[in-house]
């Protein structure tokens, strides 16, 4: 059962951000998500919805933060793991979380409590991905392993052919409702079919200098960031590039995270020089929001389930005392009403 013990909630003191032109800032609003106190640094964040967030800490706590209209946010400790939380992954139905800690422990825990299931994997093989119901997880940097969280049965999927130039580690994985497992890296996207896992298929590539890649939970799209300031959206079924958006004219602008979000045609990306989050409307082919985070690195942008909002995670370049270096700081970007 989740209980509130020795953990508080606080708002970081807001600091001035660089001004933005009305043409790129009016469509969305930016707010800070309340953070936790008394449990170490925040090291991982996941959004359940617009009002509930999970925060993992350097002391191994996983805390639920709930926003309440007209009241202070509420915090409860969902679970505790032996070491710093490195990653939090939610199932597609939003009922289960997989906690990955700095010892290689994976804890699969229902958000309403219940008995957790613990698994051990090599620290270099995480983080993990859950299917929609939270009953199966996938992990692996070069070889993909699936585990049934109910029976604890594990199986390793047949390795795919390595491209001529070699292959880097997989950046993201997805288990889809239609029986596919996808793994994406800089060299392309590999697909396995669970009813025929040995079926051969060529990797799907973006033909771009990829720096990062993320898969949509339904396995329909892959979003790539490049080392030269582009964001590329690939339709996996059609094996075609849907969008190639130039986010920066600088050839050294590293796009480290890209995602689709909302119910329409919005995409968001985080860049490195300077550290910006850019939102563009793919249907209208124009940037609708562009915000620079002063003294922050953009760690990740991700869709908030069940809403048109975006979760942005940043961390500081340096230790500022009240906000130590490498503390994750969450922000919520919403369409303006």
């Amino acid at each position: 059962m989740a209980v509130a013990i020795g953990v508080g909630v606080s708002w970081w003191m807001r600091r001035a951000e660089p001004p933005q032109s009305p043409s790129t800032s009016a469509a969305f609003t930016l707010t800070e998500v309340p953070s936790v106190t008394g449990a170490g640094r925040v090291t991982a964040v996941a959004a359940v919805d617009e009002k509930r967030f999970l925060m993992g800490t350097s002391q191994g706590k996983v805390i639920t933060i709930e926003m309440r209209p007209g009241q202070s946010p509420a915090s409860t400790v969902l679970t505790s793991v032996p070491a710093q939380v490195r990653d939090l992954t939610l199932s597609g139905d939003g009922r289960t979380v997989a906690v990955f800690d700095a010892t290689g422990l994976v804890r699969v825990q229902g958000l309403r409590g219940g008995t957790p299931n613990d698994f051990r994997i090599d620290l270099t093989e995480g983080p993990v991905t859950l299917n929609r119901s939270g009953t199966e997880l996938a992990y692996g940097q070069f070889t993909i392993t699936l585990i049934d969280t109910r029976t604890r049965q594990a199986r390793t999927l047949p390795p795919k052919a390595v491209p001529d130039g070699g292959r880097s580690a997989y950046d993201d994985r997805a288990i889809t409702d239609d029986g596919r497992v996808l793994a994406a890296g800089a060299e392309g996207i590999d697909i396995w079919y669970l009813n025929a896992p040995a079926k051969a298929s060529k990797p799907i590539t973006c033909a771009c200098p990829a720096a990062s890649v993320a898969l949509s939970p339904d396995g329909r799209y892959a979003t790539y960031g490049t080392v030269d300031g582009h964001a590329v959206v690939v339709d996996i079924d059609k094996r075609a590039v849907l969008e190639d958006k130039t986010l920066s004219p600088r050839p050294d602008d590293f796009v480290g995270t890209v995602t689709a979000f909302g119910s329409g045609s919005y995409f968001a990306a985080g860049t490195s020089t300077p550290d910006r989050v850019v939102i563009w409307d793919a249907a209208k082919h124009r940037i609708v929001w562009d915000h620079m985070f002063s003294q922050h690195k953009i760690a990740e942008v991700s869709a908030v389930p069940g809403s048109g909002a975006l979760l942005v995670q940043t961390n500081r370049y340096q230790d500022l005392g009240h906000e130590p270096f490498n503390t994750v700081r969450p922000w919520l970007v919403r369409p303006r009403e």
Side-chain angles (χ1 to χ4, degrees), residues 20-44:
Q20 301 174 65
S21 65
S23 62
T24 59
S25 64
F28 290 85
T29 61
L30 175 69
T31 56
E32 298 178 65
V33 177
S35 192
V36 298
T37 59
R41 295 180 294 107
V42 176
T43 54

Side-chain angles (χ1 to χ4, degrees), residues 212-243:
S212 65
V213 59
L215 294 162
S216 64
D218 60 8
R220 293 179 59 197
Y221 303 110
T223 50
Y224 281 88
T226 75
V227 300
D228 58 356
H230 286 244
V232 179
V233 181
V234 175
D235 185 310
I236 292 173
D237 289 337
K238 296 179 180 178
R239 293 177 170 258
V241 172
L242 292 181
E243 180 88 0

